[in-house]
Amino acid sequence: MQELTFKVQRYLPGKDKKAYIQQFTVPLRQGMTVLDGLIYIKENVDNTLSFRSSCRMGICGSCGMFINNFPMLACHTPVEELGTDRIEVRSLPNFPVIRDLVADLDLLFEKHKSIKPYIISPDTEEAEEPTAEFLQSGEELEGYVQFAYCVKCGLCMAACPTVATDALFPGPQSLGQAYRYCTDRRDAGVEERFHQADSRHGVWLCHLAGACSEACPKGVDPALAIQLLKRAMVFDSLRLKKKKKPASIAQPLAESKPKIDVPEFTVKQP
Amino acid sequence: MKTKAAGSENRHLPNRLGIKSWVWGGNYTLERYLYTLHRVTGLGLLLYITLHLAMNGFRLGGVESWIDIMEILGMSGFKVGEYLVAAAFIIHALNGGRLILQHLGYTLGKPKPPVYPYVDSLRRRRPIVWAMLALIVALAVYVLIVFVT
Ligand code: SF4
Ligand code: FES
């Protein structure tokens, strides 16, 4: 049976001063992912190995790790795709390590929360007690839906060289989400978010290294969202763009008769 | 943007890559390392301007000190330095032009619903970067020929 060498980062708080690498041998199975390899180690070799995972299908975003020097979702990375039998797994860079491969993602969630990642409705009454849907065209939806696929895995933050050097930079995840909401016609929080992004440690510190979009496992393309946010902010300050009109509310459906009459029963009812 | 989570870096093992990630941060491709090149060439040009201003200050010392400094600057090591400054200028100017356009979202295309396998906007527009690099190499070679002849 072919075997894989897993070199895994270990760190036990209170005991270790710094992280170190421990080597494990794992039997290769067909279709095996990096997460499967880690689960094998935990179940068969060393049950003290700590890592985070949940859905095992690239949806929850909890298994982000630095695998062979690239941020990836462990459950979404088949070992065959790595093209080597030596796999090095470290915890995500730019996030503090809690233990072994478990990164502290508080920073990501705090930054995400700080941009108000929800629709700030201009009509608070309608937002509290909705009477109907807000109208939105397909084209408007296409303007942001790509950015709405974010699973908050933090891979983009681990890849970003500005996050690596500036603790106060909001990072690609939250700035991308700021644009996602600013471009939504149902939202009226543009000014607040622009004001927040336009700071000394804000959006202008993005120098388009593009590593965030390269690493994103969901095709969100945060680098594109950030550049579009900058453009929107520049145009807004130069008053070059019309303010977006707030989305209107759908009219109640008109009463209508069914076009085709329901046919009579052809079988006699008992 | 201050967040209380910034404090968690003190509780757990810090793992911020810092400035060393400019040199090598992982197996990323072209743009991430152009980011580094842009900064390095920018810092190089800044250093050159500082030295240039300082050298010009020798004029205050009269004709003799100016001739002395010009003699030193005429040495071959400084010629190589001058060429590196010209090359840094070409890289910084052309890549800077690309960055100005792309920072404003131009040449990147529109957002699209993601379809697997995902290709992001920068990689879709890679030919722009290749064309820019080809132009940089052509200009750098031209300037080298001018320097040598
Ligand atoms: S933008 Fe992509 S990489 Fe960043 S947190 Fe969202 S899903 Fe993860
Ligand atoms: S376990 Fe959910 S994304 Fe990997």
Side-chain angles (χ1 to χ4, degrees):
Chain A
M1 186 190 291
Q2 205 186 326
E3 286 179 335
L4 299 168
T5 304
F6 267 68
K7 293 170 139 199
V8 183
Q9 175 184 301
R10 306 300 308 264
Y11 168 71
L12 184 62
K15 180 172 168 270
D16 301 324
K17 287 229 162 60
K18 52 182 189 168
Y20 63 97
I21 295 289
Q22 190 176 359
Q23 197 163 309
F24 299 94
T25 304
V26 175
L28 174 70
R29 274 192 295 109
Q30 209 187 358
M32 185 181 196
T33 64
V34 173
L35 182 64
D36 292 333
L38 294 173
I39 292 172
Y40 175 88
I41 296 170
K42 189 163 178 81
E43 287 180 349
N44 300 286
V45 189
D46 184 347
N47 62 8
T48 64
L49 178 65
S50 301
F51 52 88
R52 201 187 269 130
S53 75
S54 178
C55 71
R56 302 191 193 184
M57 56 174 85
I59 289 175
C60 69
S62 27
C63 66
M65 295 171 200
F66 205 50
I67 300 167
N68 283 2
N69 296 312
F70 197 82
M72 301 188 208
L73 293 178
C75 72
H76 209 42
T77 309
V79 289
E80 275 163 44
E81 231 172 58
L82 297 171
T84 170
D85 54 6
R86 299 177 77 78
I87 298 166
E88 188 179 274
V89 192
R90 292 176 180 267
S91 94
L92 275 186
N94 298 337
F95 292 105
V97 187
I98 298 177
R99 180 177 168 154
D100 296 340
L101 299 169
V102 184
D104 177 5
L105 299 181
D106 274 6
L107 204 66
L108 170 82
F109 298 124
E110 287 294 335
K111 287 178 173 178
H112 178 64
K113 263 198 279 178
S114 72
I115 58 102
K116 303 202 168 121
Y118 42 82
I119 301 283
I120 300 173
S121 177
D123 185 343
T124 34
E125 220 171 274
E126 184 61 33
E128 304 268 311
E129 300 282 343
T131 53
E133 299 92 346
F134 286 104
L135 287 178
Q136 197 168 55
S137 69
E139 204 184 323
E140 283 163 1
L141 178 70
E142 284 213 353
Y144 72 80
V145 73
Q146 173 174 24
F147 311 127
Y149 281 93
C150 174
V151 293
K152 288 117 205 135
C153 61
L155 301 193
C156 53
M157 306 281 278
C160 174
T162 309
V163 173
T165 47
D166 186 343
L168 299 178
F169 177 59
Q173 193 279 335
S174 64
L175 288 171
Q177 293 310 297
Y179 180 73
R180 176 256 172 271
Y181 286 97
C182 287
T183 196
D184 192 318
R185 264 211 315 134
R186 296 166 297 176
D187 178 83
V190 175
E191 261 172 50
E192 274 175 66
R193 297 196 193 92
F194 278 9
H195 180 70
Q196 200 177 355
D198 188 16
S199 68
R200 203 156 73 83
H201 293 275
V203 69
W204 311 113
L205 284 191
C206 163
H207 299 297
L208 196 50
C212 53
S213 294
E214 202 175 339
C216 178
K218 304 303 284 183
V220 170
D221 205 348
L224 174 63
I226 297 172
Q227 310 326 306
L228 294 176
L229 176 67
K230 287 180 195 163
R231 169 152 78 188
M233 289 169 69
V234 169
F235 279 22
D236 182 70
S237 67
L238 298 175
R239 309 211 185 292
L240 286 177
K241 205 157 191 185
K242 276 191 268 162
K243 290 241 172 330
K244 63 180 183 190
K245 276 199 227 131
S248 45
I249 293 166
Q251 295 298 314
L253 291 176
E255 286 279 327
S256 61
K257 272 200 214 150
K259 288 222 173 81
I260 307 166
D261 284 337
V262 179
E264 294 292 323
F265 282 109
T266 49
V267 180
K268 277 218 167 140
Q269 297 285 307
Chain B
M1 206 180 278
K2 275 206 178 114
T3 55
K4 62 176 184 236
S8 67
E9 288 201 59
N10 305 327
R11 291 201 311 270
H12 305 306
L13 184 71
N15 193 21
R16 190 175 292 285
L17 290 179
I19 208 157
K20 68 177 191 292
S21 76
W22 287 12
V23 184
W24 194 82
N27 295 336
Y28 305 100
T29 52
L30 201 54
E31 288 81 3
R32 162 91 190 224
Y33 294 102
L34 279 178
Y35 165 96
T36 305
L37 192 61
H38 197 74
R39 297 196 146 196
V40 170
T41 52
L43 289 173
L45 289 172
L46 196 66
L47 181 69
Y48 166 75
I49 289 171
T50 315
L51 287 176
H52 179 68
L53 291 176
M55 294 300 167
N56 276 335
F58 278 90
R59 284 182 174 226
L60 297 174
V63 179
E64 266 178 27
S65 73
W66 178 245
I67 291 171
D68 286 349
I69 197 75
M70 281 296 115
E71 248 171 45
I72 296 172
L73 292 181
M75 280 161 24
S76 57
F78 282 98
K79 279 280 164 216
V80 174
E82 249 174 37
Y83 174 70
L84 288 181
V85 169
F89 176 77
I90 294 168
I91 295 170
H92 204 77
L94 288 181
N95 193 42
R98 169 187 75 92
L99 286 176
I100 290 172
L101 281 178
Q102 295 192 330
H103 274 293
L104 290 174
Y106 295 110
T107 78
L108 288 177
K110 283 185 179 171
K112 302 187 177 174
V115 177
Y116 196 81
Y118 309 125
V119 184
D120 62 88
S121 50
L122 274 176
R123 261 137 293 269
R124 270 202 302 269
R125 305 300 162 116
R126 227 340 121 68
I128 296 177
V129 180
W130 288 126
M132 178 204 75
L133 287 175
L135 194 58
I136 287 175
V137 172
L139 284 173
V141 170
Y142 173 74
V143 174
L144 184 65
I145 293 167
V146 172
F147 259 71
V148 173
T149 52

